[in-house]
């Protein structure tokens, strides 16, 4: 059970009662006003209404350096994240929508928390303790049906319950969702708490903890789309990427890992040193053809950043923005925005064209429940699933 870690219950955290002490704070989906440097705060507002009329809150976290993260209770979604470039200019570096309505009507998983099982499960089937379970097949790359990102109404499409907190040099929000036994075909009542924390060291920490009353499988994943230029009309093919991985998981035409663990050496999958993404994305290489570009899981080598595995380093050479990712998970999916095709209009009316953002999703192996070589994705009653992902931002 390599991917599971027992953790202590969440420490008691003081809830700051929406005092909105940052005078320049905007609310809801309104365009933000520049936060005052040093005005650390956490505030909440109503982002919009669910189809049944329930309110979905939006939380705004601001750190000592003017960074601002907005998180909504719908889908435990990161709505926006502003980070400074090499000149100190703040810009939002994520794809998404201005309003809740945008997220309610589109399904690109922008900024979302995906689950119960993020990534793909072959044919929507798995066997646990001798019993076969059938899940929705809501995706069909290469014409081959599979289960993707938790199904028809996964974690990205439900209303979570948010509660903000303030800690030492950091502030954040805990979002809780109780998924009933049998929801989307998965066994066990699963209680998940996702925590977003914005620190004064310019880190955005995303954590997921989950417990179940019966055996189940899960892979809860954060699915932000990044474009570090802050200009969502530009291609991420100019970004430089490092992946701390010696191996990747080749897939079949349905983007399901074949079971092989392949060396990246002498292939366009080798990001052990920084490479411009566009340099090899069109190479005549089987995996890139099947993925319509980069859309694969890399197995992390285990090089450490403190207690976590180093996962990725992404840089936009133009603005100098750098994001590093570290995690306690065994793998990372690098998805190069290949399915963005100019049919979605996002924040500020920008049409999201092909490869204008990318995802770096730390996780267990795709299709882990059907792969005996993968770290276990099974969670049993009495255990706690714990996934930690640290995004650290800087500029150079
Ligand atoms: C993941 C998958 C991609 C795609 C996106 C959502 O990252 O790897 O193939 O399905 O989600 O569009």
């Amino acid at each position: 059970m390599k991917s599971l870690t027992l953790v202590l219950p969440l420490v008691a955290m003081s809830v700051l009662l929406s005092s909105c002490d940052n005078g320049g704070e905007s609310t809801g989906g309104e365009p933000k006003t520049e936060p005052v440097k040093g005005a650390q705060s956490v505030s909440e507002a109503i982002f919009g209404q669910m189809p049944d009329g329930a309110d979905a809150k939006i939380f705004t976290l601001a750190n000592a350096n003017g960074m601002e993260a907005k998180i909504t209770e719908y889908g435990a979604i990161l709505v926006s994240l502003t980070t400074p470039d090499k000149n100190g200019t703040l810009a939002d570096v994520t794809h998404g929508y201005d309003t809740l309505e945008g997220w309610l009507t589109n399904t690109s998983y922008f900024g979302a928390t995906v689950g119960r099982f993020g990534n793909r499960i072959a044919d929507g089937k798995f066997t646990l303790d001798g019993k076969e379970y059938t899940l929705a097949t809501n995706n069909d790359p290469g014409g081959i049906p599979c289960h993707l990102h938790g199904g028809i109404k996964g974690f990205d499409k439900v209303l979570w319950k948010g509660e903000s907190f303030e800690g030492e040099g950091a502030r954040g929000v805990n979002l809780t969702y109780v998924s009933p036994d049998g929801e989307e075909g998965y066994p066990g009542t699963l209680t998940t708490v996702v925590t977003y924390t914005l620190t004064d060291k310019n880190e955005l920490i995303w954590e997921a903890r989950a417990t179940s009353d019966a055996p189940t499988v899960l892979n809860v994943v954060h699915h932000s789309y990044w474009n570090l230029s802050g200009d969502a009309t530009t291609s991420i093919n100019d970004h430089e990427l490092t992946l701390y991985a010696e191996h990747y998981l080749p897939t079949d035409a349905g983007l399901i890992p074949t079971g092989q663990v392949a060396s990246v050496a002498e292939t366009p999958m080798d990001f052990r040193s920084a490479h411009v993404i566009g340099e090899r994305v069109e190479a005549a290489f089987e995996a890139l053809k099947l993925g319509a570009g980069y859309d694969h899981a890399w197995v992390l080598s285990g090089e450490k950043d403190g207690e976590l595995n180093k996962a990725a380093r992404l840089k936009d050479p133009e603005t100098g923005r750098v994001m590093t990712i570290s995690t306690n998970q065994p793998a990372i999916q690098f998805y190069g925005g290949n399915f963005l095709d100019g049919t979605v209009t996002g924040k500020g009316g920008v049409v999201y064209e092909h490869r204008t953002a990318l995802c770096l999703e730390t996780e267990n192996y795709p299709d882990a429940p059907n792969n005996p070589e993968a770290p276990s994705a099974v969670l049993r009653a009495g255990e706690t699933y714990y996934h930690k992902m640290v995004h650290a931002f800087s500029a150079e």
Side-chain angles (χ1 to χ4, degrees):
M1 208 138 302
K2 281 183 259 173
S3 66
L4 300 176
T5 313
L6 293 173
V7 290
L8 294 169
L10 289 177
V11 287
M13 292 159 172
S14 63
V15 177
L16 190 76
L17 293 168
S18 87
S19 54
C20 272
D21 57 348
N22 178 359
E25 202 66 51
S26 65
T27 55
E30 298 297 309
K32 69 165 187 68
T33 47
E34 206 79 295
V36 184
K37 196 166 165 91
Q40 300 101 304
S41 66
V42 51
S43 61
E44 63 181 65
I46 304 300
F47 193 34
Q49 276 74 41
M50 298 289 290
D52 69 359
D55 286 339
K57 286 182 191 168
I58 187 165
F59 295 85
T60 301
L61 316 175
N63 79 359
N65 310 310
M67 279 180 70
E68 198 179 82
K70 286 181 182 280
I71 293 117
T72 178
E73 288 179 311
Y74 180 67
I77 285 168
L78 178 68
V79 171
S80 61
L81 181 73
T82 63
T83 71
D85 69 4
K86 62 187 175 196
N87 302 315
T89 306
L90 291 163
D92 181 12
V93 293
T94 64
H95 273 20
Y97 306 99
D98 289 322
T99 62
L100 177 65
E101 189 65 23
W103 265 284
L104 288 171
T105 52
N106 290 284
T107 54
S108 297
Y109 308 97
F110 292 151
T113 294
V114 297
R116 296 185 184 192
F117 198 95
N119 216 310
R120 296 185 166 82
I121 294 181
D123 199 25
K125 288 191 183 358
F126 68 93
T127 301
L128 176 61
D129 296 341
K131 186 171 175 214
E132 188 180 70
Y133 294 87
T134 301
L135 311 169
T137 47
N138 56 324
N139 190 235
D140 63 345
I144 304 169
C146 67
H147 179 79
L148 177 70
H149 293 338
I152 313 278
K153 192 177 177 191
F155 280 1
D156 61 302
K157 295 183 193 67
V158 297
L159 191 61
W160 297 61
K161 177 80 192 122
E163 210 173 304
S164 62
F165 63 86
E166 264 202 309
E168 186 65 32
R171 47 225 66 77
V173 56
N174 287 316
L175 301 124
T176 305
Y177 177 67
V178 181
S179 174
D181 179 30
E183 188 174 48
E184 288 293 324
Y186 292 97
T189 306
L190 186 73
T191 301
T192 306
V193 180
V194 164
T195 305
Y196 285 92
T197 308
L198 181 65
T199 74
D200 290 333
K201 291 194 284 182
N202 290 2
E203 297 157 324
L204 179 74
I205 304 171
W206 177 93
E207 293 163 287
R209 295 172 168 90
T211 54
S212 178
D213 64 359
T216 192
V217 298
L218 78 170
N219 186 35
V220 187
V221 172
H222 179 66
H223 205 293
S224 274
Y225 283 64
W226 306 102
N227 182 326
L228 296 184
S229 75
D231 176 353
T233 65
T234 64
S235 169
I236 52 80
N237 279 347
D238 297 333
H239 281 35
E240 296 165 6
L241 178 67
T242 308
L243 295 174
Y244 299 90
E246 312 267 343
H247 298 92
Y248 74 102
L249 304 178
T251 68
D252 62 17
L255 300 186
I256 301 291
T258 57
Q260 196 197 346
V261 178
S263 168
V264 297
E266 288 164 46
T267 77
M269 314 303 271
D270 188 354
F271 286 93
R272 290 174 295 180
S273 58
H275 279 271
V276 171
I277 291 167
E279 180 190 321
R280 302 166 299 177
V281 69
E282 302 296 349
F285 186 70
E286 178 72 1
L288 292 174
K289 278 193 249 159
L290 294 174
Y294 292 108
D295 194 358
H296 303 82
W298 274 255
V299 179
L300 298 175
S301 304
E303 198 181 320
K304 293 292 178 194
D305 181 359
E307 290 185 345
L308 301 176
N309 294 325
K310 282 187 173 189
R313 184 179 198 272
L314 183 68
K315 178 180 175 183
D316 171 41
E318 196 66 28
T319 61
R321 285 194 186 89
V322 173
M323 175 177 74
T324 62
I325 296 178
S326 52
T327 185
N328 63 355
Q329 294 296 293
I332 187 167
Q333 180 88 6
F334 161 37
Y335 164 60
N338 309 312
F339 298 126
L340 294 174
D341 59 1
T343 55
V344 169
T345 302
K347 295 176 204 173
V350 173
V351 175
Y352 292 144
E353 303 289 352
H354 194 220
R355 296 181 182 155
T356 51
L358 61 86
C359 303
L360 291 164
E361 310 153 49
T362 58
E363 57 185 20
N364 199 340
Y365 295 8
D367 197 34
N370 294 311
N371 179 355
E373 301 304 319
S376 173
V378 177
L379 177 71
R380 296 186 183 276
E383 297 174 339
T384 300
Y385 167 89
Y386 180 50
H387 178 167
K388 182 172 186 179
M389 184 184 201
V390 179
H391 305 81
F393 295 88
S394 58
E396 58 186 32

